Amino acid sequence: MAIQLVTTAAELRAASARLLEQKAGASQGLVPTMGALHEGHARLARTAVAQNDVVVASIFVNPLQFGEAADLDRYPRTLEADLALLDAEGVDLAFAPGVEEVYPGGQPLVRITAGPLGDKWEGASRPGHFDGALTVVAKLLHYGIPGTGLPGGGQPAYRAYFGQKDAQQLALVQRMVADLNFPVEIVPVPIVRSADGLALSSRNRFLSGAEREAALVLSRALRLIEDRANAHKPLDLDSAQALVRSQPLVELDYFDVVDPRTLEPLAENCRETPFRGDGLAIIAAKVGPVRLIDNVPLNA
């Protein structure tokens, strides 16, 4: 493989500096992942490679964002396959640290707090999840800072790539970077779907055939809302929610239309009045043993 695997922050910084110098590079991209990679991650890597001289992908299953130890243990670890996918996309460095490298001495006493934006939607269903996610993202963004400056002075451009499927996480990362002045540009990358419309997820592998078929109701309901928005019709969210609830294998958690930046509900645009402006239809549901999330931007 052409890709280089490193496991410590010191190795990453040294390898980054070496590659930037070898390539006379002016930019570096970071693709943070938890492994178990699929075509959605491949698109993140592909986008980063197209926009940067050096690209780093991190692979780290973060214990802070799992509510139960069983969920952490069950999360798939597929390092060899992950490296092969990243190598095929042209990624230069894979950073796969152990827990002791990221959290020396045990769980951190000081963490990033997601605040009110992290308490709703996914945060309401998974308390503490976003505090753990932002804490590790903050560390990864620091690890991924280019390891050397430009020959004439200044720093290489630095970008990090996040999928739009995790819409709330993306909004929180963008807010964290803006509020805390991180020296990185956050680049959103659109959702990748299978041919039948299901949003790709590392958790899809745990669905049975019948559960996977049932899960398609999530994307169908989102398309229904999108079509109504494009036609400038009332969104009639109630009927779309009823469509999801009509599927017996699906247990709906939430389904709403929100402001894509604040995630506040846009209730006034959802029912009787024609939809105008920007919005984001978001959905989460449990299908069998698997919790799935999805969303679609509305730009009517």
Side-chain angles (χ1 to χ4, degrees), residues 225-226 228-233 235 257-261 266 268-270 273-281 296-300:
I225 294 296
E226 182 181 27
R228 290 171 180 167
N230 290 340
H232 303 293
K233 296 180 178 179
L235 300 186
V257 175
V258 301
D259 182 290
R261 292 160 292 276
L266 298 175
E268 70 278 6
N269 285 334
C270 290
T273 58
F275 182 80
R276 292 288 189 274
D278 293 336
L280 184 71
V296 65
L298 307 178
N299 304 110

Side-chain angles (χ1 to χ4, degrees), residues 74-93:
R74 191 172 75 147
Y75 193 88
R77 275 79 164 175
T78 56
L79 181 60
E80 289 303 315
D82 294 344
L83 293 175
L85 181 148
L86 295 171
D87 186 54
E89 296 299 337
V91 172
D92 300 286
L93 290 168

Side-chain angles (χ1 to χ4, degrees), residues 56-77:
V56 179
S58 63
I59 301 171
F60 178 67
V61 182
N62 177 33
L64 296 192
Q65 64 195 76
F66 287 84
E68 298 181 8
D71 289 339
L72 174 62
D73 292 340
R74 191 172 75 147
Y75 193 88
R77 275 79 164 175

Side-chain angles (χ1 to χ4, degrees), residues 127-262:
H129 168 75
F130 286 118
D131 291 357
L134 288 182
T135 297
V136 79
V137 168
K139 293 176 76 74
L140 291 171
L141 291 176
H142 285 306
Y143 291 145
I145 291 173
T148 188
L150 298 175
Q155 284 295 115
Y158 178 34
R159 306 177 182 98
Y161 296 78
F162 290 83
Q164 291 180 335
K165 186 173 80 69
D166 296 304
Q168 189 169 4
Q169 174 178 276
L170 173 61
L172 282 161
V173 169
Q174 290 172 321
R175 192 72 260 166
M176 177 181 72
V177 165
D179 288 349
L180 301 183
N181 301 104
F182 280 52
V184 61
E185 175 189 353
I186 302 301
V187 182
V189 179
I191 294 172
V192 177
R193 299 182 181 278
S194 59
D196 57 13
L198 186 66
L200 297 191
S201 169
S202 300
R203 299 177 185 273
N204 289 354
R205 69 188 67 196
F206 299 122
L207 295 169
S208 69
E211 290 163 350
R212 194 186 188 289
E213 183 66 25
L216 298 179
V217 75
L218 275 64
S219 57
R220 286 202 302 271
L222 288 171
R223 284 199 304 272
L224 184 62
I225 294 296
E226 182 181 27
D227 289 345
R228 290 171 180 167
N230 290 340
H232 303 293
K233 296 180 178 179
L235 300 186
D236 190 10
L237 192 62
D238 291 342
S239 68
Q241 292 171 340
L243 173 63
V244 178
R245 291 193 174 99
S246 70
Q247 172 50 255
L249 295 180
V250 177
E251 181 183 345
L252 183 63
D253 182 355
Y254 60 77
F255 185 8
D256 214 324
V257 175
V258 301
D259 182 290
R261 292 160 292 276
T262 66

